[in-house]
Amino acid sequence: MSSWFKRKDKGIQTPTEKKKDVPKGLWYKTPSGKIVDTEELKENYYVSPEDGYHVRIGSAEYFEILFDDNTYTEFDKNMVSKDPLKFTDTKKYTERLKEAYEKTKLKDAVRTAVGKSFGKDLVIAAMDFSFIGGSMGSVVGEKIARAIDYSMQNNIPFLMISKSGGARMMEASLSLMQLVKTSAKLAQLSDAKIPYISLCTDPTTGGTTASYAMLGDVNFAEPNALIAFAGPRVVRDTTGKDLPEGFQRSEFVLEHGFLDKIIERKNLKKQINLYIDLIQNLPIRKIKK
């Protein structure tokens, strides 16, 4: 057996920087084995025309899809994480952050912005899995909280696009506090009667699912996204039972009542804005094709 096939240690060994949000190179191979031209993939909202597979994308791509003419004002662009716990595992947290900055050109795992979507203001918080697995630390919680504040101050609907491996272990309890902070802010948003749309993308797991991802006035998801608290591998190992086909994928979660709708990426902008008009009892905007 080839040495590359063997794991040196137990556990997942794929480094985060290898889990790219957007495909690089001339061709992209989907999990079902279909080969797609990368340019064609980009023109099709990073969805394979061969099999409908939704490739993971990041905040830059979601902003381009949802904001008119890709024009928006970003909030808190230079907010960065500290290392109050002086955390070290196989390397120092400060080193992990430095590597993430260099490889992703991002400051943390979420970007927040306001702009026009079909001519009407919308605040969007979009997560980036490429930054330390989209983990939720203090910066993620603070940026989301501030974006919600902006929504409340200006009476603008709020869209949260989740894509996360869960809470950031390098910040321990400080990370878990973000669940409470974001949930409390969303309760205030609800009291102010401002629409909150949650969009779960692949993957939405851990503390993210346990907090803001499942608190939307409506909870949407992209097709075949993993949506769970503990992932299927952990559930299987803990229970010792085989899991149903498609367990914890969007379609399974919708069927069991935890989602309101699955939306293909090409329809996201239209469906989200349609919901906003309906929930606010406003005339439905005429969408130019």
Side-chain angles (χ1 to χ4, degrees):
M1 187 183 291
S2 303
S3 60
W4 60 264
F5 192 71
K6 296 177 182 173
R7 280 184 176 169
K8 285 171 64 183
D9 304 300
K10 189 178 179 183
I12 296 170
Q13 298 297 309
T14 311
T16 299
E17 61 269 18
K18 297 292 184 187
K19 301 170 183 172
K20 299 193 183 300
D21 272 0
V22 179
K24 303 289 188 279
L26 294 174
W27 303 95
Y28 178 79
K29 188 175 182 179
T30 72
S32 69
K34 303 292 185 184
I35 307 293
V36 187
D37 177 83
T38 308
E39 277 303 310
E40 185 182 0
L41 199 63
K42 183 178 179 181
E43 289 169 9
N44 200 42
Y45 302 97
Y46 294 98
V47 177
S48 166
E50 297 287 331
D51 57 8
Y53 176 72
H54 282 56
V55 176
R56 276 184 194 163
I57 57 175
S59 56
E61 290 74 32
Y62 282 112
F63 287 170
E64 186 175 1
I65 289 168
L66 293 164
F67 286 130
D68 297 343
D69 304 318
N70 198 23
T71 302
Y72 54 88
T73 302
E74 188 175 347
F75 305 133
D76 307 303
K77 277 199 273 192
N78 297 313
M79 190 183 291
V80 294
S81 292
K82 301 291 185 185
D83 184 20
L85 305 178
K86 308 292 183 222
F87 189 92
T88 302
D89 45 29
T90 54
K91 63 179 76 171
K92 291 180 180 178
Y93 181 34
T94 49
E95 288 179 26
R96 289 193 184 279
L97 287 169
K98 188 179 176 186
E99 287 176 8
Y101 299 147
E102 291 170 356
K103 282 169 181 152
T104 66
K105 309 303 179 195
L106 298 166
K107 298 292 186 183
D108 215 284
V110 73
R111 289 171 69 216
T112 54
V114 63
K116 301 284 186 187
S117 188
F118 285 138
K120 184 176 177 181
D121 284 336
L122 179 64
V123 173
I124 304 177
M127 300 191 74
D128 284 283
F129 191 77
S130 59
F131 193 98
I132 315 184
S135 51
M136 179 182 58
S138 301
V139 167
V140 169
E142 182 64 16
K143 287 180 80 168
I144 293 170
R146 291 189 186 191
I148 295 168
D149 280 339
Y150 187 92
S151 279
M152 286 191 286
Q153 289 158 8
N154 297 278
N155 195 27
I156 300 171
F158 178 65
L159 168 65
M160 181 74 229
I161 303 175
S162 298
K163 188 186 297 285
S164 174
R168 189 172 299 172
M169 69 173 187
M170 290 76 95
E171 295 187 25
S173 58
L174 296 175
S175 175
L176 297 177
M177 288 175 190
Q178 308 314 308
L179 282 73
V180 182
K181 179 157 77 176
T182 52
S183 298
K185 283 291 177 188
L186 287 169
Q188 292 176 0
L189 193 72
S190 178
D191 289 343
K193 296 185 168 29
I194 296 171
Y196 166 43
I197 304 99
S198 174
L199 175 65
C200 300
T201 68
D202 185 55
T204 298
T205 60
T208 304
T209 315
S211 54
Y212 50 81
M214 283 294 165
L215 293 179
D217 295 324
V218 286
N219 298 320
F220 295 145
E222 290 186 337
N224 201 39
L226 175 65
I227 302 168
F229 179 66
R233 180 174 56 85
V234 174
V235 174
R236 185 172 52 245
D237 291 349
T238 304
T239 61
K241 294 183 178 179
D242 290 330
L243 303 175
E245 189 177 346
F247 181 67
Q248 294 182 326
R249 292 287 165 178
S250 304
E251 292 75 12
F252 185 94
V253 179
L254 175 70
E255 189 179 329
H256 288 79
F258 289 92
L259 285 175
D260 295 296
K261 191 177 180 67
I262 294 171
I263 305 173
E264 290 186 40
R265 199 173 285 158
K266 65 182 179 182
N267 298 324
L268 272 180
K269 187 174 182 180
K270 185 176 180 181
Q271 288 286 307
I272 286 166
N273 283 289
L274 173 63
Y275 167 73
I276 289 169
D277 289 344
L278 291 171
I279 198 70
Q280 293 188 310
N281 200 24
L282 295 171
I284 293 170
R285 281 164 281 171
K286 291 179 180 176
I287 309 303
K288 293 179 181 178
K289 292 187 178 179

